[in-house]
Amino acid sequence: MHIHILGICGTFMGSLAVIARELGFRVSGSDMNVYPPMSTQLETLGIELMEGYCAGHLEPKPDLVIIGNALSRGNPAVEAVLSSGLTYTSGPAWLAHSVLRNKWVIGVAGTHGKTTTSAMLAWILQRADLWPGYLIGGVTQNLEYSSTLGKSEFFVVEADEYDTAFFDKRSKFVHYGPRTAILNNLEFDHADIFDDLAAIENQFHHLVRTIPGNGLIITPYEDHSLEAVLARGCWSQRQQLGLNVIPELCRTMARKVGVFWNTETTDDHGSSFELVKYGGDKDGDVVERCSVSWQQTGLHNVSNAMAAVVAAHHVGIEVSVSAAALEEFKGVKRRMEHLATVRGIHVYDDFAHHPTAIAATLQGMASKLSREDKPRRLIAVIEPRSNTMQLGVHQQRLNDSCAAADQLVWYKPVNSGIDFDCIMQESEVPVCGFNEVDAIVSFLVQFSRGGDHIVIMSNGGFGGLHQKLIKALA
């Protein structure tokens, strides 16, 4: 059977292609943006990639076309599918029907941290010899591919709130039916499809409605948007997570919600911390404690790790086993991925596409650099590429999100909804902006010096900036 995937180089659809290939299907796909690391992964597996969306890519006719949510009516390939009467479906619907039935699904949802938390969780389960299936919206450093069928009843899925397809405007995650659900956080995002935060909360409550009574919902302490979602109705068990919450409050929350987990960090950049479990009896006392020292940085990653440990605990994995796995966790490509060090200048790639994610990443790195013996400069290079960023929805938060940097470089796309002149005038961080990638490279080559850490932030290919810079620095 031949499956053709439209939008195959997207993080979700690319991972879907890997699973379809593993099931024995012949898989091909088309996309407008064919770039690493997803394109490299697919080509390694022998999956045929085609540039663009031509009707000719659908000849000879495939048995099934899976259409990504980035495509809409008017797209030549979509119009050819409809006009030819080809059988088609969405990625989430295909995954639910072909893979997730009769599985213990562990879904990871939230505005931030889905990919990293999913990767941590899949790695923990694998290190515990449970050999889960998983589908992660990125390429991980510990796991060979971004997805696999696995060899057990467990399946970890990154549960995205973005819509399913042009013909199904529900969020992807309503298809998955998780038994264990992590709701990491909830903020306004995806302004191209959601009018406001309330619209996203509606979709999250649709997800909550699908979780069974014997399932588990894992949420952070004091996320007011998630609390508003759950106040509308919750039919499942709950456990809450805290970050440096005072012990007495932890005990109070344990008595209230049943179990409360806390992390106590021993430094401000998250390279070591303690996981503490408070029981739900009348005293709410500490029932378990475990230390972790690992390679990751940032308190946001500490929170992601705690969520992964609690989800793993729900399927029967001891906390100490999870902690040992976390200490071996190498991260996810494009999440503060160190690409190269050239003449003492360190270059990183990061996927951050929202002010909260930008702030968390830069604060974590700045905190780490502040502890080193010699002064180090943190240079942030940002392409505001997501639909929400381009619309200018988060403009008022951008300067605050970049406050931890020592130098800021903006890529200013043509016809952006962001008023860059205003942002640059109000920035308290030294800042410059450019309309061309080559101009950014030229500036960085002249400006940077040994000891600098350059973090390139984009959820796309950024015009090949990463490799162009590394080559130019050499």
Side-chain angles (χ1 to χ4, degrees), residues 314-328:
H314 187 229
V315 305
I317 298 174
E318 294 293 333
V319 174
S320 59
V321 174
S322 294
L326 287 174
E327 293 188 341
E328 299 174 356

Side-chain angles (χ1 to χ4, degrees), residues 29-55:
S30 307
D31 207 306
M32 286 298 296
N33 299 299
V34 178
Y35 54 81
M38 189 57 72
S39 62
T40 304
Q41 174 177 267
L42 297 175
E43 289 167 349
T44 299
L45 290 170
I47 294 173
E48 182 183 4
L49 302 181
M50 307 174 195
E51 187 84 33
Y53 293 117
C54 303

